[in-house]
Amino acid sequence: MPPLRDTLQRDLEQLRTSGLYRSLRRVDSPQGPRIKVGGREMLNFSSNDYLDLANDPALKRAANKAVEHWGVGAGASRLVCGNLAPYEELETKLAAFKKKESAIVFGSGYAANVGTIAALVGEGDVVILDKLDHASIIDGARQSGATVRVYPHKNLKKLDEILCQSDSFRRKLIITETIFSMDGDAAPLAEIVALKEKHDAWLMIDEAHATGVFGPNRRGLAEDAGVEEKIDVTLGTLSKALGCVGGFVVGSRTLIDFLRNRARSFIYSTALPPAMCAAASAAVDLVVSDEGEHRRDRLWANVRALGAQSPIHPVIVGDETAAVELSQKCYEHGIFVPAIRYPTVPKGKARLRVTLSAAHRQEDIEQLRHELPR
Ligand SMILES: *Cc1c(COP(=O)(O)O)cnc(C)c1O
């Protein structure tokens, strides 16, 4: 066997020649519509901080106050002695915000998906995914040991077919993102709910990119589509529009009680820092307030100004190297929008993933439009 380093070096070389090599770019400022990269200020069109909360004074005050009171680390997992009061406060707020009985917070959205899916299904069950579902959903499905079936993106006919062939499985779980993270388009939720009911399956939705952004009360796409009560499991993150970090699931009291007992990423992982919970609570307060509505409206004004369908606007380039070159051209002109490539998106579907924030100004959008291909 060749030495480890030689083998990895060869693999990395292959990534470089196929335009798939990734490297980190250091950011020297807080998150926001303008960030400092490489010693200069750039317009930032790549963060998921849609409501401009990551550096918000109210959230920072809440976190600072909590650090003073609770310290920095939780010290243990929730089930041992890490269940500090800010957790329960946050979970109560999340359940009320999402109009569900109960909520459970995880260390990240990734951990929430993996832990929840693997707790709900296993061998003898089937989990049915949209082709473009997030990596954390795929990983949860694989880890569960259930049979995994995948339907082409938003293809209801194929979903129906798979469900027709799934009678022999004990449990059937459909999982879809509501707003797809790399394409910004919306799942046909009402139609998926109809299929779930027709075939007597369970439905889990991932509202990572819709929470705070969609629905009259900003609860997500399920609120927008009027189907909240038909959803069995709703996942959200604290890390996108809420500007913090962490993941959560809301649903019936029974579901949440079950996850506390069976979700391994919840049980075997140290609780989030209490200050993060306090900041996230402040974020929920802000999102449900008039200020939250105001920011959401400003965000959508920017979406319309760009001619996009959601705050995620993919500019498909196709070729991996060409996408990197377009991103580099934007970078040289002061616009930060990294190229997204395989395996995050399919091969040959490389793109710039432009994301908008409530804090972008009209002239920022103009400047971006100027750089993008027509
Ligand atoms: C970002 C994201 C996650 C993971 O959330 P983190 O809090 O970043 O771990 C899960 N699902 C979707 C659809 C996402 O976009």
Side-chain angles (χ1 to χ4, degrees):
M1 212 165 68
L4 174 87
R5 200 161 57 163
D6 294 359
T7 305
L8 303 188
Q9 206 59 53
R10 206 168 329 110
D11 288 357
L12 282 171
E13 219 33 70
Q14 205 159 19
L15 287 178
R16 277 201 189 86
T17 53
S18 45
L20 296 176
Y21 181 76
R22 302 173 183 220
S23 57
L24 292 166
R25 251 192 200 135
R26 182 171 123 178
V27 177
D28 289 306
S29 65
Q31 200 52 253
R34 285 171 183 70
I35 53 175
K36 207 170 149 195
V37 191
R40 73 193 165 118
E41 186 175 272
M42 313 260 305
L43 266 178
N44 180 16
F45 284 102
S46 57
S47 103
N48 301 313
D49 184 22
Y50 305 118
L51 298 178
D52 194 35
L53 288 178
N55 191 36
D56 186 86
L59 272 67
K60 291 203 286 191
R61 269 197 306 276
N64 278 325
K65 212 172 127 204
V67 164
E68 288 308 320
H69 190 89
W70 300 99
V72 288
S77 71
R78 296 275 302 281
L79 287 165
V80 178
C81 66
N83 190 34
L84 307 178
Y87 270 94
E88 302 222 335
E89 192 187 327
L90 174 58
E91 287 173 344
T92 304
K93 270 187 205 297
L94 286 169
F97 168 42
K98 291 276 191 172
K99 285 194 98 180
K100 297 283 179 184
E101 282 177 14
S102 197
I104 178 172
V105 169
F106 292 76
S108 68
Y110 185 97
N113 261 327
V114 171
T116 299
I117 299 164
L120 291 176
V121 289
E123 226 183 291
D125 303 329
V126 63
V127 46
I128 306 170
L129 310 181
D130 185 289
K131 175 86 177 120
L132 295 190
D133 274 350
H134 192 260
S136 57
I137 298 175
I138 297 168
D139 292 358
R142 284 193 185 141
Q143 206 179 98
S144 73
T147 298
V148 182
R149 301 291 311 270
V150 178
Y151 56 94
H153 186 45
K154 300 200 294 193
N155 188 327
L156 296 162
K157 191 164 160 281
K158 192 71 200 182
L159 171 58
D160 190 28
E161 257 172 58
I162 293 174
L163 283 162
C164 281
Q165 298 157 359
S166 296
D167 278 343
S168 60
F169 292 103
R170 197 173 55 130
R171 300 172 176 179
K172 293 168 272 187
L173 176 65
I174 306 166
I175 312 178
T176 183
E177 289 181 39
T178 55
I179 296 300
F180 285 86
S181 64
M182 293 299 135
D183 291 68
D185 57 339
L189 270 189
E191 290 84 350
I192 295 176
V193 163
L195 287 176
K196 152 212 150 64
E197 292 187 328
K198 175 178 162 201
H199 293 280
D200 205 15
W202 298 341
L203 176 59
M204 169 169 171
I205 59 173
D206 180 340
E207 296 252 45
H209 293 278
T211 299
V213 174
F214 281 79
N217 299 293
R218 304 170 286 289
R219 294 203 290 270
L221 192 72
E223 183 195 13
D224 213 46
V227 297
E228 284 170 290
E229 274 156 31
K230 311 278 191 179
I231 310 292
D232 299 290
V233 185
T234 301
L235 179 139
T237 63
L238 306 173
S239 54
K240 309 278 158 75
L242 295 176
C244 295
V245 72
F248 64 89
V249 170
V250 291
S252 69
R253 217 164 273 126
T254 309
L255 168 71
I256 303 308
D257 192 21
F258 176 82
L259 292 177
R260 284 189 195 125
N261 281 275
R262 297 300 297 276
R264 293 169 64 86
S265 60
F266 173 81
I267 301 169
Y268 298 107
S269 189
T270 299
L272 274 180
M276 189 46 70
C277 296
S281 284
V284 176
D285 286 344
L286 195 145
V287 165
V288 302
S289 73
D290 291 347
E291 172 64 16
E293 183 172 6
H294 178 60
R295 287 195 195 201
R296 192 268 313 268
D297 292 347
R298 281 207 320 252
L299 172 65
W300 278 95
N302 286 338
V303 171
R304 282 188 294 274
L306 187 64
Q309 54 180 340
S310 85
I312 304 168
H313 179 62
V315 178
I316 310 282
V317 178
D319 180 68
E320 281 72 26
T321 305
V324 173
E325 281 165 7
L326 179 59
S327 166
Q328 185 61 28
K329 188 197 87 171
C330 290
Y331 185 82
E332 279 153 20
H333 294 172
I335 293 182
F336 193 71
V337 49
I340 308 283
R341 291 160 282 166
Y342 177 83
T344 308
V345 296
K347 270 201 181 115
K349 292 243 173 104
R351 68 197 61 187
L352 301 193
R353 174 180 179 264
V354 171
T355 52
L356 296 169
S357 148
H360 283 124
R361 301 195 286 246
Q362 193 73 44
E363 60 263 33
D364 302 339
I365 312 272
E366 278 312 310
Q367 201 179 325
L368 170 71
R369 286 174 69 109
H370 192 73
E371 295 302 329
L372 298 180
R374 304 255 111 200

